[in-house]
């Protein structure tokens, strides 16, 4: 419940990624709490909402928003690499994103509003670990890899292995998110984005679906799904995905989709929406995706 | 008060022109100083409030953590309050709870400290030991009455019940049930509305200090004299010992009508005990949790009509949730009841309005003041009746709409400035209602055939809003305003009417300018401070322009006439004559008091007569698109046809109609206070959802000018609240047209529409076909 604590925190910047890894490692060794500050659009809200801190537990805040090695978008063959501190607005404008991963552009357009897009990053979206994260849902559809680094070295975590529960993760606390790597689908792949929020902008998702599919001769050969706000983690809808990959499109009907979605998720009622409504909408948007592929 | 035939403005002037706002530059440049921006006074400290975590309970003890360093923290408890009462209508609300808490977030302890961070830690070091009592959290339980949670102060409410206030209103045949039995068609329905948070941009805040003169207070507020009265009472002071001034205020919508009184007392208590200036600024969460909201309301209606749809009988019960204390509830309930019959001609009426206490934060003033709740009910009922009769709602409404010469439910003869029919017809033609309805139905059939999932709909509402205080209110209030002549022929307007963003400063200048011929740039507007301005009454009830504006007009005209007389006698320019007059008389001031039109008579006992000097009228037509999968409602277009009497400032007038309609749309579609065990689950702007610019429809707004002969500037009427009344029923009618789902309970969130589509929230109209 206090922004008043901000004045007591130590704000810091480091030279480069390796210095950052060292610094974070040292802080971990000494048991000093720390945060990496990217856009600050999640972290600042958390500061405002929590109880004031006892004076001995102030975190060290390290600003990574300007760190070159965490920023920028690069296309390398069919691999798209997006730095963790790249902002939504940069994604919305980047030619490689617009041409090869328009789903990301479309998703970014629906995050908050322009002010948030000008600061917010995928690294922050992933690290916060909210099941409502739009960015993570989109990355899930691509089966993205999360590149993390620490003193111990670099590793790639498949998005499907990242989240273990509500805001818990396989990423170690001292592992910095460096980038996201996406193995792009073919140029004629179908993509789908539908965010059902509390209003048209500045809205947290009640349900959001990101999906991509490559279809060959009436059969889906690559498919990825990511759904926000229907489970404690970003929902990957494994049974639904299996349906798409195992059944010819002309044999997939609404009933089959509904059954799969029902077995994939049991959404809850919270302050934003109700469980039954979420389930209803989840089925509706998956059906819409299926129709866009030409399902029955 | 001047007679109507003398009302022609003397100069061609500025009334009717959208001149630039006098507060605009400072607000755009960010130089306007809201209370939180005022420079710190020497020694100033911050105040904070410790509140009840439960909706009802007995306070066993308040413990101050001994391990915490309290040396530089000021603590105030109930025992520190000289007179522990927030002065308003009934004296039932304590400044600080002493023995019992009656709603969550009720203030118990006040703290102040120079160090903001320490202050937040100090709040955590106060341990409340409260024995919970079974709360009453909804209207039905409160009405049922086995758990009485409210103690009626002398002369108020009904002892040993939760009933805070009850009114009965009748017209025509005494036995309405017998009259109903004679009707060709009888229809019953129940309609309900929910809480709404004002969500002004600037949260509540005040700054208080004491000196030899007494107590001083500057704050964000609508009604400096309400705060004045509350401080006088709580500290047992003489009126001259209390000085209250309005700071630049970032919106109010009624939320800063009565609440600032309690916050002002809190800050003044801390300041008195510490001997230092104290500033208290709520953050958004505290503001949403602790301050007033729109009263939830349940209306049960039974109507009877002839075979051709001519209305005969209205029988209605209105029940409002007061919250834990009386605050302004009797007045809100009254206004709700006085608008409950809608814009229709009813020969026979029996209406009962009841307000009950619950263990929720007191509900209070909010734009519309009870009328949006009851107009929602009557408009939805008329739509249901039209569906039952198989006619278009607009046809049924037009057939029964009040026109000049009709009498309202209170028996008020509508003498003048009645434009219901004009608004309705202009609404139909502007929106091409009949053609669009047919086009839309065709388009929806096409979409259905193609398997598309979105449907269009169009719907309308027709409504009115009484301007000024209800009944004898203005006569009792005797609102005053003054205009001073200043050197160089300048003027200064002094009123207690506050500009809270709605443009009072600008509009008063325009009215005064035309009344005396002095240019708007040469007219000052005194900061509303109780030491400086006369008591014009509160800035509420759509009364500022029509009531106080007419007094300002009379004052300005008097000053203008006096200077011009001097000019005629001794020559020179207006400015020279003004300076001579000032030398001669020392000071030149006109002070006038509001006189209601002579025909206004109201009988409080019988609840009959002229409820308002006049009404503003309006018709809304909404076009929506509803997604049948997600049940999201997209309001595409809102046609607003509003009769404002005379638009002093057309742009701001349209701004009121459009902004008010957007607020109504928010109430209809998004806004919902989510409660759990008496606590608010969504006290933040991220989860209390109001529409943003992207959600706003395209507005097509028409100002109708059907002058009220006694209004200023050539006939202005009050319009601040009017647009809040009709948005929800118009949108609901359009949603019904689009989906076939008739929702009678607000809000129409996607979740509720989804439930309704499954029949779980079925429409509650029951049909009694004619025998
Ligand atoms: C008004 C508003 C609207 C919003 N709307 C949306 C929306 O529509 N959809 C949505 O998904 N989200 C939304 N958000 C949430 C937020 O904007 C996003 O989650 C955003 O992506 C967070 O990124 P950031 O850079 O601002 O994170 P920060 O706040 O800077 O950081 C968040 C957390 O991530 C950690 N972190 C940041 N970078 C790294 C890194 N490289 N490695 C390791 N840890 C790191 C930080 O230490 C911190 O704990 C909204 C927020 C606001 C305030």
């Amino acid at each position: 419940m206090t922004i008043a604590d901000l004045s007591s925190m130590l704000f810091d910047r480091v030279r480069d990624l390796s210095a950052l890894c060292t610094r974070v490692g040292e802080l971990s060794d000494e048991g000093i709490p720390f945060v990496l500050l990217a856009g600050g659009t999640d972290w600042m809200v958390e500061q405002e909402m929590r109880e004031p801190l006892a004076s001995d537990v102030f975190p060290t805040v390290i600003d990574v928003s300007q760190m070159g090695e965490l920023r920028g978008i690069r296309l390398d063959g069919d691999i798209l690499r997006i730095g963790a501190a790249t902002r939504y607005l940069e994604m919305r404008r980047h030619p490689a994103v617009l041409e090869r991963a328009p789903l990301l552009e479309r998703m970014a357009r629906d995050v908050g509003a322009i002010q948030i897009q000008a600061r917010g990053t995928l690294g922050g979206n992933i690290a916060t670990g909210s099941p409502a994260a739009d960015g993570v849902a989109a990355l899930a559809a691509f089966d993205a890899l999360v590149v993390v680094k620490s003193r111990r070295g670099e590793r790639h975590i498949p998005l499907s292995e990242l989240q273990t529960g509500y805001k818990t993760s396989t990423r170690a606390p001292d592992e910095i998110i460096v980038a996201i790597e996406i193995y792009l689908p073919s140029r004629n792949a179908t993509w789908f984005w539908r965010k059902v929020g509390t209003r048209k902008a500045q809205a947290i998702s009640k349900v959001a679906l990101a999906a991509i599919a490559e279809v060959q001769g009436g059969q889906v050969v690559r498919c990825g799904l990511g759904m926000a706000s229907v489970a404690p983690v970003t929902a990957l809808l494994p049974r639904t995905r299996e349906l798409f990959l195992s059944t010819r499109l002309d044999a997939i009907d609404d009933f089959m989709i509904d059954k799969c979605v029902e077995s994939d998720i049991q959404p809850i009622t919270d302050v934003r929406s109700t469980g039954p409504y979420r389930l209803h909408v989840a089925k509706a948007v998956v059906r819409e995706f299926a129709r866009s592929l030409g399902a029955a | 008060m001047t007679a109507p035939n003398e009302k022609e403005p003397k100069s061609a002037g500025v009334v009717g022109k959208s001149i630039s706002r006098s507060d605009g530059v400072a607000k755009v440049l960010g130089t306007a100083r809201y209370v939180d921006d005022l420079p710190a006074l020497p020694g100033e400290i911050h105040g904070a409030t410790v509140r009840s975590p439960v909706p009802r309970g007995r306070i066993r003890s308040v413990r101050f953590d001994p391990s915490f360093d309290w040396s530089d923290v000021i603590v105030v408890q109930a025992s520190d309050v000289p007179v522990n009462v927030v002065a308003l209508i009934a004296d039932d609300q304590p400044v600080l709870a002493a023995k019992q808490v009656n709603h969550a977030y009720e203030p118990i302890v006040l703290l102040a400290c120079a160090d903001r961070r320490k202050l937040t830690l100090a709040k955590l070091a106060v341990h409340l030991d409260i024995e919970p009592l079974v709360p009453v959290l909804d209207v039905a339980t409160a009405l049922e009455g086995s758990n009485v949670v409210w103690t009626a102060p002398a002369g108020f409410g009904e002892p040993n019940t939760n009933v805070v206030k009850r009114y009965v209103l009748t017209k025509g045949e005494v036995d309405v049930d017998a009259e109903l039995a004679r009707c060709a068609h009888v229809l019953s329905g129940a309609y309900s509305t929910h809480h709404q948070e004002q969500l002004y941009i600037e949260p509540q805040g005040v700054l208080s200090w004491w000196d030899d003169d007494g107590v001083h207070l500057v704050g964000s507020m609508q009604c400096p004299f309400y705060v004045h009265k509350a401080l006088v009472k709580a500290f047992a002071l003489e009126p001259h010992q209390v000085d209250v001034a309005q700071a630049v205020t970032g919106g109010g919508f009624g939320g800063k009508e009565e609440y600032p009184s309690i916050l002002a007392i809190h800050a003044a208590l801390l300041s008195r005990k510490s001997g230092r200036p104290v500033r208290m600024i709520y953050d958004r969460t505290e503001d949403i949790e602790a301050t007033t909201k729109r009263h939830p309301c349940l209306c049960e209606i039974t109507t009877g009509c002839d075979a051709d749809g001519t209305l005969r009988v209205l029988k209605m019960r209105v029940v409002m949730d007061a919250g834990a204390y009386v605050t302004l509830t009797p007045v809100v309930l009254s206004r709700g009841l006085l608008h409950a019959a809608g814009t229709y001609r009813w020969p026979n009426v029996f209406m009962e309005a009841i307000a009950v206490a619950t263990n929720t934060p007191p509900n209070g003033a909010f734009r519309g003041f009870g009328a949006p709740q009851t107009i929602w009910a009557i408009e939805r009922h008329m739509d249901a009746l039209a569906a039952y009769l198989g006619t278009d709602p607009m046809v049924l409404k037009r057939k029964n709409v009040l026109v000049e010469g009709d009498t309202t439910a209170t028996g008020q003869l509508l003498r003048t400035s009645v434009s219901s029919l004009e608004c309705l017809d202009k609404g139909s033609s502007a929106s091409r209602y009949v053609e669009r309805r047919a086009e839309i139905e065709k388009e929806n059939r096409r979409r259905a055939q193609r398997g598309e999932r979105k449907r269009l709909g169009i719907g309308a509402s027709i409504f009115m809003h009484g301007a000024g205080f209800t009944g004898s209110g203005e006569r009792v209030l005797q609102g005053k305003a003054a205009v001073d002549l200043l050197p160089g022929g300048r003027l200064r307007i002094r009123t207690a009417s506050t500009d809270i963003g709605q443009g009072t400063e600008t509009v008063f200048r325009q009215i005064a300018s035309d009344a005396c011929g002095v240019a708007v740039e040469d007219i000052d507007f005194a900061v509303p401070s109780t030491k400086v301005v006369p008591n014009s009454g509160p800035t509420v009830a759509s009364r500022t322009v029509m009531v106080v504006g007419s007094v300002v007009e009379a004052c300005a005209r008097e000053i203008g006439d006096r200077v011009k007389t001097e000019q005629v006698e001794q020559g020179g320019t207006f400015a020279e004559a003004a300076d001579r007059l000032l030398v001669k008389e020392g000071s030149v001031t006109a002070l006038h008091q509001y006189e209601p039109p002579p025909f206004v008579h109201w009988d409080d006992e019988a609840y009959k007569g002229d409820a308002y000097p006049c009404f503003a009228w309006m018709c809304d037509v909404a076009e929506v698109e509803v997604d049948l999968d997600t049940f999201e409602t997209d309001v595409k277009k809102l046609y607003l046809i509003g009769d404002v009497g005379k638009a002093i400032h057309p742009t701001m007038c349209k701004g009121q109609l459009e902004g008010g309609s957007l607020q109504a749309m928010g109430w209809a579609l998004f806004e919902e206070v989510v409660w759990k065990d008496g606590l608010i689950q969504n006290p933040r702007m991220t989860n209390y959802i109001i529409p943003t610019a992207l959600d706003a429809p395209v507005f097509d707004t028409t100002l109708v000018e059907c002058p009220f002969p006694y209004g200023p500037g050539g006939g202005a009427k009050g319009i601040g609240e009017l647009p809040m009344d009709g948005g929800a029923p118009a949108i609901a009618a359009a949603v019904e047209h689009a989906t076939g789902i008739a929702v009678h309970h607000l809000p129409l969130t996607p979740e509720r529409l989804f439930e309704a589509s499954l029949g779980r929230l079925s429409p509650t109209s029951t049909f009694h076909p004619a025998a």
Side-chain angles (χ1 to χ4, degrees):
Chain A
M1 246 281 295
T2 183
I3 291 277
D5 283 342
L6 287 182
S7 57
S8 311
M9 294 180 188
L10 188 68
F11 284 80
D12 202 359
R13 242 179 221 176
V14 290
R15 183 171 27 84
D16 57 20
L17 183 57
S18 85
L20 180 64
C21 290
T22 311
R23 186 77 211 283
V24 163
E26 286 164 3
L27 290 167
S28 304
D29 292 348
E30 292 164 31
I32 298 173
F34 63 90
V35 271
L36 307 184
L37 186 70
T41 61
D42 271 327
W43 187 73
M44 286 293 287
V45 174
E46 279 166 25
Q47 301 320 296
E48 205 264 325
M49 285 179 70
R50 62 161 173 72
E51 301 276 85
L53 297 170
S55 53
D56 49 352
V57 294
F58 284 121
T60 297
V61 184
I62 307 170
D63 178 5
V64 299
S65 65
Q66 312 293 332
M67 186 171 285
E69 290 141 291
L70 263 51
R71 294 176 50 80
I73 298 171
R74 214 175 59 223
L75 183 61
D76 197 352
D78 281 334
I79 307 286
L80 183 69
R81 185 181 160 106
I82 303 175
T86 309
R87 288 123 193 228
Y88 293 104
L89 208 52
E90 292 166 331
M91 282 183 258
R92 280 185 63 179
R93 290 171 179 168
H94 199 279
V97 173
L98 290 167
E99 199 191 319
R100 296 298 312 274
L103 165 58
L104 287 180
E105 187 276 335
R106 185 64 194 82
M107 173 280 295
R109 226 195 289 164
D110 276 356
V111 173
I114 202 84
Q115 300 90 332
I116 296 298
Q117 293 165 17
R119 288 290 309 174
T121 67
L122 282 182
N125 204 237
I126 294 169
T128 298
S130 161
D134 292 325
V136 179
L139 295 177
F142 285 109
D143 289 308
L145 293 173
V146 180
V147 183
V148 300
K149 194 167 181 183
S150 68
R151 277 183 305 186
R152 299 180 298 284
E154 190 176 279
R155 64 185 185 117
H156 289 51
I157 313 175
L159 202 94
S160 57
E161 291 168 20
L162 185 71
Q163 300 173 327
T164 51
Y166 182 71
K167 295 199 174 178
T168 57
S169 141
T170 53
R171 182 175 64 90
D174 67 344
E175 282 183 311
I176 296 147
I177 304 172
V178 178
I180 290 90
E181 280 187 9
I182 293 171
Y183 171 61
L184 292 167
S186 68
R187 284 172 186 273
N188 58 6
T190 301
W191 61 273
F192 180 91
W193 172 254
R194 180 74 198 272
K195 172 168 171 171
V196 179
T198 46
R199 61 188 155 205
K200 284 186 192 160
Q202 295 292 26
I204 305 178
S205 292
K206 292 173 178 178
V207 175
L209 175 65
I212 59 148
E214 281 178 32
V215 183
Q216 280 171 14
Q219 175 67 51
V220 174
V221 294
R222 174 178 170 178
C223 175
L225 303 167
M227 191 175 267
S229 292
V230 293
V233 296
T234 304
L236 306 177
L237 307 179
R239 289 193 182 81
T240 311
R241 175 174 170 147
E242 188 49 39
L243 172 72
F244 282 120
L245 287 170
S246 66
T247 315
R248 287 188 57 82
L249 278 169
D250 53 15
I252 297 178
D253 62 22
D254 286 354
F255 179 78
M256 296 158 86
I257 290 172
D258 288 359
K259 279 279 155 272
C260 288
V261 174
E262 271 169 31
S263 65
D264 278 332
I265 55 170
Q266 291 89 39
I268 59 161
T269 295
D270 63 11
V271 69
R272 267 198 313 283
S273 190
T274 65
Y277 174 80
R278 285 187 159 118
L279 185 58
H280 169 82
V281 171
K283 290 185 216 162
V285 292
V286 174
R287 281 190 237 129
E288 200 182 325
F289 168 58
R291 274 196 297 276
S292 75
L293 298 177
Chain B
M1 196 79 244
T2 40
N5 53 2
E6 291 170 29
K7 299 301 290 185
E8 283 306 302
K10 288 181 181 153
S11 62
V14 288
V15 163
K17 295 199 180 119
S18 296
I19 63 171
S20 54
R21 301 174 58 126
S22 43
D23 58 332
V25 172
K27 282 178 181 167
V28 170
L29 294 181
T31 55
R33 287 200 167 153
Y34 297 82
V35 59
D36 200 28
D37 305 325
L38 297 172
L41 297 174
E44 181 183 309
I45 57 178
H46 311 282
T49 316
V50 178
R51 300 175 179 280
S52 171
V54 297
R56 185 167 179 241
R58 212 166 281 122
I59 303 175
R60 285 205 206 96
S61 72
V62 178
R63 217 169 45 78
F64 296 87
D65 192 334
S67 67
F68 189 83
D69 169 20
W70 293 96
S71 60
D72 58 347
V73 179
I74 306 299
V75 178
V76 165
Q77 291 180 260
S79 53
D80 294 301
V81 192
V83 180
N84 195 4
V85 162
V86 184
L88 210 58
I89 292 175
D91 288 346
D92 64 335
Q93 185 179 20
V95 173
L96 291 172
K99 297 200 178 72
Q100 174 150 342
V101 284
N102 292 312
H103 65 86
Y105 319 116
E106 183 159 12
I108 301 171
V109 178
L110 302 171
L111 304 172
C113 182
D115 178 349
R116 246 182 230 255
R117 216 184 89 72
K118 182 160 183 190
L119 188 59
T120 60
L121 292 168
K123 278 175 76 170
L124 298 180
V126 178
H127 303 294
L128 303 172
D129 179 7
I130 301 179
E131 176 197 344
L133 299 172
V134 178
V136 168
L137 299 172
D138 63 279
V139 164
T141 315
L143 207 53
E144 181 269 322
S146 58
N147 186 4
V148 175
V149 296
W150 178 73
T151 316
F156 269 91
E158 297 172 10
N160 305 316
T161 72
N162 292 309
V163 176
V164 165
K165 188 75 195 175
R166 186 189 303 260
Y167 300 102
V168 173
L169 192 166
T170 61
K171 179 186 180 189
E173 199 62 46
V174 178
D175 187 348
V176 284
D177 290 325
E179 193 60 22
L180 275 173
R182 287 191 280 275
C183 289
H185 304 289
V186 173
L187 179 72
S188 297
Y191 312 87
S192 68
T193 61
H194 58 311
H195 282 99
Q196 184 180 23
E197 161 61 33
Q198 292 88 353
L199 221 79
Y200 28 70
I201 296 290
E202 181 209 17
Q204 308 252 2
V206 298
L207 167 62
S208 177
W209 69 99
W210 293 72
D211 61 19
D212 294 344
D213 294 338
V215 63
H216 301 268
L217 188 116
V218 180
S220 182
M221 66 181 75
Q222 293 176 229
C223 313
F225 281 94
Y226 279 8
V227 176
H228 184 268
K229 176 180 162 187
L231 287 170
V232 166
K233 172 99 176 190
F235 291 96
L237 294 170
E238 294 299 322
H240 69 84
Q241 295 174 292
V242 176
D243 164 32
V244 178
Q246 184 216 9
V248 177
T249 298
F253 308 110
K256 292 173 186 167
E257 177 168 347
E258 72 274 35
Y259 196 85
S261 296
I262 189 167
L263 178 55
I265 301 170
H266 288 171
L269 282 165
L270 285 168
S271 173
R272 199 178 66 146
K273 191 154 184 185
S274 63
R276 300 167 75 167
V278 171
R279 198 178 316 226
M280 295 183 81
I281 309 283
Y282 285 175
D283 68 14
R284 182 63 64 184
T285 296
E286 183 170 29
D287 195 299
I288 292 181
E289 287 174 342
T291 73
T292 56
K293 299 185 177 49
R294 183 183 300 291
H295 291 69
C297 181
L298 170 68
C299 295
E300 292 155 335
I301 303 180
T302 300
T303 56
C305 68
D306 291 341
D308 70 352
T310 304
L311 301 175
R312 299 231 66 89
V313 185
L314 171 63
K315 188 177 171 187
M316 186 163 179
R317 185 166 83 151
V318 177
V319 187
M320 285 192 190
D321 179 351
Y325 298 108
V326 173
T327 67
L328 293 169
T329 293
V331 197
V332 174
L333 185 69
S334 168
R335 191 174 275 268
L337 176 60
L338 292 170
H339 288 78
T343 48
Y344 308 107
R345 207 180 302 122
W346 304 97
N348 305 291
V349 175
F350 176 87
M351 292 199 274
E352 186 182 28
I354 305 165
V356 288
T358 60
N359 296 112
T360 58
N363 295 308
F366 194 151
R367 194 178 206 169
F369 218 70
Q373 291 94 312
T374 55
I375 288 173
W376 159 260
I378 196 69
E379 283 300 282
R380 290 273 61 211
H381 186 79
M382 289 296 286
D383 291 341
L385 182 60
Y388 170 59
L389 297 174
T391 51
D392 185 277
M394 282 290 251
V395 173
L396 180 71
K397 290 176 183 181
R398 192 176 194 287
K399 182 184 186 68
N400 290 287
V401 82
L402 289 165
V403 294
E404 205 165 291
D406 281 338
T407 56
T408 67
T410 63
Q412 172 167 2
L413 172 65
L414 295 171
R415 288 177 176 78
T416 176
S417 192
V418 183
S419 58
S420 36
L421 208 53
E422 186 180 346
C423 289
L424 193 153
D425 287 343
K426 283 194 167 153
S428 290
S429 57
S431 65
R432 296 175 48 250
Y433 178 84
V434 176
E435 297 90 321
R436 277 302 286 156
R437 224 174 152 84
E439 284 166 21
I440 281 171
E441 283 163 17
K442 195 167 153 208
E443 168 67 13
N444 282 345
R445 281 193 296 274
R446 194 189 65 81
R447 290 185 180 189
Q449 276 159 11
R450 295 192 179 185
E452 291 174 29
R453 301 296 287 160
K454 290 186 179 175
R455 296 289 180 275
L456 300 171
I458 186 168
S461 63
I462 170 89
F463 50 101
M464 74 223 230
H465 200 95
F469 265 18
T470 299
S472 44
E474 293 293 348
R475 203 156 264 144
V476 173
L477 194 69
Q478 303 184 327
K480 295 167 200 59
V483 172
D484 307 319
L485 183 64
L486 305 180
R490 296 177 62 87
L491 299 189
R492 176 174 56 210
I493 300 168
R494 286 186 289 126
T495 79
S497 298
T498 50
D499 194 324
I500 54 174
Q502 83 284 44
T504 306
E505 283 193 41
T506 309
V507 171
F508 277 9
R509 282 187 166 98
Q510 290 178 276
I511 291 171
S513 172
D514 273 19
C516 70
V518 171
V520 260
E521 305 78 53
D522 293 330
I523 302 178
D524 295 343
F525 185 88
V527 171
S529 148
T530 55
K531 280 261 152 93
V532 174
V533 301
N535 189 352
S536 323
T539 304
V540 303
S542 308
R543 66 185 291 277
T544 297
V545 168
M546 189 181 98
V547 172
V548 185
S550 72
V551 187
V552 168
E553 183 174 61
C555 293
R557 181 174 295 124
E558 182 195 315
I559 298 281
D561 288 349
R562 282 166 71 181
V563 176
K564 280 171 208 154
T565 306
E566 168 71 22
Q567 224 181 332
V568 169
E569 286 167 4
Q570 307 286 330
T573 62
F574 186 91
E576 286 161 359
D579 285 342
R580 279 200 309 274
L581 205 60
L582 280 171
V583 170
K584 234 189 291 178
E585 301 191 9
S587 68
V588 179
T589 291
L591 176 72
H592 284 246
Q593 179 175 314
Y594 182 67
E595 239 348 289
F599 59 80
V600 175
H601 297 294
W602 175 255
D603 181 343
D604 268 320
E605 287 301 307
Y607 217 70
K608 278 188 182 10
D610 298 297
Y612 301 94
C614 74
F615 294 91
W617 308 83
M618 191 157 166
C619 176
D620 285 359
V621 183
E623 275 205 29
V624 302
E625 186 170 57
V626 184
D627 186 317
L628 296 183
D629 285 332
T630 64
F631 294 95
E632 291 166 296
T633 298
D634 188 0
V635 182
K636 295 282 189 197
K637 194 138 192 190
L638 261 182
Y639 298 88
L640 310 174
I641 319 295
D643 167 22
V644 302
K646 166 79 194 173
I648 309 275
H649 191 295
T651 297
M652 287 201 291
C653 220
K654 284 190 175 177
Q656 285 293 313
L657 297 190
E658 292 170 7
S661 298
L662 192 59
Q663 200 163 29
M665 179 187 130
W667 188 47
L669 296 179
F670 303 110
E671 295 177 48
E672 182 168 25
V673 179
V674 181
W675 296 91
K676 189 166 175 234
D677 304 328
L679 296 167
I680 296 174
Q681 304 302 298
N682 56 337
R684 305 174 58 78
M685 287 179 96
T686 181
N687 46 28
Y688 183 82
I689 305 298
I690 61 166
T692 70
L694 264 191
D695 303 292
V698 174
F699 287 106
D700 184 319
T701 306
T702 307
L703 297 177
V704 172
E705 294 187 324
C706 184
F708 173 56
Y710 296 83
K717 304 195 268 197
I719 51 126
E721 297 169 287
L722 173 73
M724 186 72 222
D725 294 346
I731 290 167
V735 168
E736 181 175 350
H737 185 223
T739 62
I741 306 170
V743 174
H744 291 179
H745 308 285
L746 282 177
L748 279 82
T749 53
E751 287 77 5
R752 283 163 180 272
L753 220 46
F754 165 63
E755 294 280 314
S757 78
L758 301 176
R760 266 180 264 179
L761 255 180
S762 59
T764 51
S765 281
T766 48
F767 301 125
H768 305 287

